[in-house]
Amino acid sequence: MNRTRAFAAVALVFGSLLAATQLARAHGDVTPQPIDTKGLKPLGDTWLKENPYRGDPLAIKIGEHGYTQNCARCHGIGAISGGISPDLRKGDPGKEGDEWFIGRSRNGSAKDGRVLMPKFEGILSQEGLWAIRSWIDTLPPPDDN
């Protein structure tokens, strides 16, 4: 009987560790995923301060996919934040928020030596980041009532 209990305890611990590993993996690969921007106008090496793709249906589609692959793990599915990271739907829409968005996306954010958001310059292209912004711009602001 003691061997049965010991085996059950070991199986429970092993099963719990396995489940925890799967839950962590379910959150997604934390390595930034490339964004296929084929079909979008190339923007060159100089970073723009205003979104050149605003309202472009292809950019919006590409941006939704890019967001899901690279941003949703922190900012939430559909850009609905769970409260830890900023809710991107609350940002200034249009060109008013473009400068903040691209600055934060390129340079990331840190406080007291802690990385709050990684920088994506050199990892994701300008085209990919502006496509993500194009998709975010299509979302209605949250209902804070």
Side-chain angles (χ1 to χ4, degrees):
M1 187 81 152
N2 269 346
R3 289 183 110 186
T4 302
R5 282 187 179 166
F7 178 76
V10 168
L12 180 64
V13 168
F14 178 74
S16 297
L17 290 173
L18 182 62
T21 301
Q22 292 305 313
L23 283 174
R25 292 184 69 198
H27 196 54
D29 184 353
V30 296
T31 302
Q33 301 299 303
I35 300 173
D36 182 0
T37 58
K38 192 180 322 171
L40 295 179
K41 176 186 162 201
L43 301 177
D45 295 331
T46 302
W47 283 85
L48 304 178
K49 292 185 179 181
E50 187 175 331
N51 186 354
Y53 302 137
R54 186 169 287 108
D56 179 321
L58 178 60
I60 293 166
K61 181 179 178 182
I62 290 170
E64 181 177 15
H65 181 74
Y67 176 91
T68 301
Q69 293 298 311
N70 293 290
C71 311
R73 68 183 55 87
C74 295
H75 291 281
I77 303 290
I80 301 171
S81 175
I84 294 174
S85 295
D87 190 318
L88 299 178
R89 300 170 303 153
K90 292 181 179 182
D92 288 330
K95 62 183 176 182
E96 295 81 22
D98 286 350
E99 191 172 335
W100 178 87
F101 173 83
I102 206 64
R104 183 62 55 100
S105 298
R106 287 177 65 195
N107 303 313
S109 175
K111 182 177 182 180
D112 301 327
R114 294 173 295 139
V115 174
L116 302 176
M117 179 175 161
K119 64 181 186 172
F120 285 100
E121 184 172 3
I123 298 170
L124 299 180
S125 69
Q126 175 174 204
E127 292 83 358
L129 289 172
W130 283 125
I132 290 170
R133 172 72 173 163
S134 297
W135 175 72
I136 292 169
D137 275 352
T138 68
L139 302 174
D143 182 16
D144 288 335
N145 296 340

